[in-house]
Amino acid sequence: KLYVALTFDYEDLHLNDNGTANMPEILKILEKHNATATFFVLGKTAKLHEDVIKELKARGYSIGVHTYFHNMPVFNKRDALLIDKIYHVNNTWEKSFKNSQAFLADLQRCLNETELMPMFRSPCLAVNWISNREEYFETLEKAGIIIDSSLYQEDKPFYYVGKVIEVPVTMSEDYFNFGYFKCKKIAKSCIDKNLPLVIVMHPQKLSLRNFERFLDFLEANYNVTYIRIEEVPIIYAQ
């Protein structure tokens, strides 16, 4: 059996942004494949698109936190420069919280002003490159975050960092462009190692055609069960 966790980082800071453009089509594809999903939503997006959030809840999808304005949990300039280099940008420090107190306040705002679940994904998966990872998880714990899904897979379906459960990420939507050989290799590895296939996607960047073709491919070749992020620790604890 292949457990697949479809996750979307839902980012739309302005009503005229394209961050919500593909959402109706994505929901149709999920319904067609009888697939559940998890959405990590900006606090601002949750306020702007309350109707979409209500629909996601009505469909039984889980909805976690992705910061309020897509700021990075980066607390020093050295880490910011490294992320600049990785993503070929030059403004990571400007978009960073700069200290854990600001990060904590942002998390608390998201949880207090919205009905998002106490689950978190770091913008740009920035936590993979920061030197203050311990402080990052301590801040999540202080905010009451129960599950984080921001670190890359290290052959564990989930593990604890303090009191926070980490559900690692397996692949992103970019892999859809590499052909089925690469996707097949990743799926087989998950089955062999008894790991969930946790996929990170962004509605505004997603090729709907490639997304549905990928789901068709998985379902044609594996015994697929779609799950939400919070179900991973339950399934793999057995």
Side-chain angles (χ1 to χ4, degrees), residues 28-80:
K28 288 178 184 177
I29 292 172
L30 293 175
E31 184 177 15
K32 177 181 176 181
H33 288 262
N34 195 27
T36 191
T38 299
F39 290 80
F40 291 96
V41 184
L42 297 182
K44 182 65 174 179
T45 303
K47 301 286 279 188
L48 281 174
H49 300 288
E50 292 182 356
D51 55 332
V52 179
I53 301 302
K54 287 179 180 177
E55 182 171 4
L56 296 179
K57 288 182 178 179
R59 290 171 178 257
Y61 304 144
S62 55
I63 313 172
V65 176
H66 195 46
T67 73
Y68 205 91
F69 291 112
H70 207 263
N71 294 103
M72 305 279 194
V74 176
F75 308 147
N76 65 70
K77 288 186 177 181
R78 179 181 295 179
D79 290 345

Side-chain angles (χ1 to χ4, degrees), residues 11 38 63 65 114 146 218:
E11 308 157 353
T38 299
I63 313 172
V65 176
T114 70
I146 297 172
L218 288 181

Side-chain angles (χ1 to χ4, degrees), residues 14-199:
H14 308 284
L15 284 173
N16 60 350
D17 269 5
N18 67 349
T20 195
N22 285 329
M23 285 296 288
E25 290 78 12
I26 288 171
L27 296 182
K28 288 178 184 177
I29 292 172
L30 293 175
E31 184 177 15
K32 177 181 176 181
H33 288 262
N34 195 27
T36 191
T38 299
F39 290 80
F40 291 96
V41 184
L42 297 182
K44 182 65 174 179
T45 303
K47 301 286 279 188
L48 281 174
H49 300 288
E50 292 182 356
D51 55 332
V52 179
I53 301 302
K54 287 179 180 177
E55 182 171 4
L56 296 179
K57 288 182 178 179
R59 290 171 178 257
Y61 304 144
S62 55
I63 313 172
V65 176
H66 195 46
T67 73
Y68 205 91
F69 291 112
H70 207 263
N71 294 103
M72 305 279 194
V74 176
F75 308 147
N76 65 70
K77 288 186 177 181
R78 179 181 295 179
D79 290 345
L81 289 173
L82 176 58
I83 295 173
D84 276 350
K85 185 176 181 180
I86 291 169
Y87 283 101
H88 305 290
V89 295
N90 59 7
N91 60 353
T92 299
W93 185 241
E94 295 173 22
K95 295 182 177 181
S96 298
F97 287 112
K98 299 182 175 60
N99 58 67
S100 60
Q101 292 79 17
F103 181 35
L104 177 60
D106 185 272
L107 292 171
Q108 291 172 331
R109 181 183 183 186
C110 288
L111 293 171
N112 291 336
E113 292 188 12
T114 70
E115 295 182 3
L116 302 178
M117 298 170 64
M119 305 190 302
F120 185 72
R121 170 160 294 147
S122 166
C124 300
L125 303 181
V127 65
N128 284 280
W129 300 287
I130 62 176
S131 57
N132 48 272
R133 190 177 295 179
E134 182 177 349
E135 193 174 3
Y136 168 87
F137 279 102
E138 288 174 351
T139 306
L140 294 183
E141 189 173 321
K142 287 179 183 178
I145 297 295
I146 297 172
I147 295 177
D148 179 73
S149 183
S150 304
L151 294 178
Y152 289 119
Q153 179 57 253
E154 295 182 358
D155 293 348
K156 297 178 182 178
F158 75 95
Y159 52 92
Y160 282 87
V161 183
K163 294 182 179 179
V164 178
I165 299 171
E166 178 63 31
V167 177
V169 168
T170 313
M171 60 181 280
S172 72
E173 66 229 338
D174 295 335
Y175 282 82
F176 299 166
N177 303 322
F178 296 160
Y180 291 133
F181 175 78
K182 183 73 171 179
C183 296
K184 185 176 182 179
K185 184 177 180 180
I186 292 173
K188 185 177 184 303
S189 177
C190 286
I191 292 174
D192 292 343
K193 296 178 181 180
N194 194 30
L195 300 172
L197 179 58
V198 180
I199 308 171

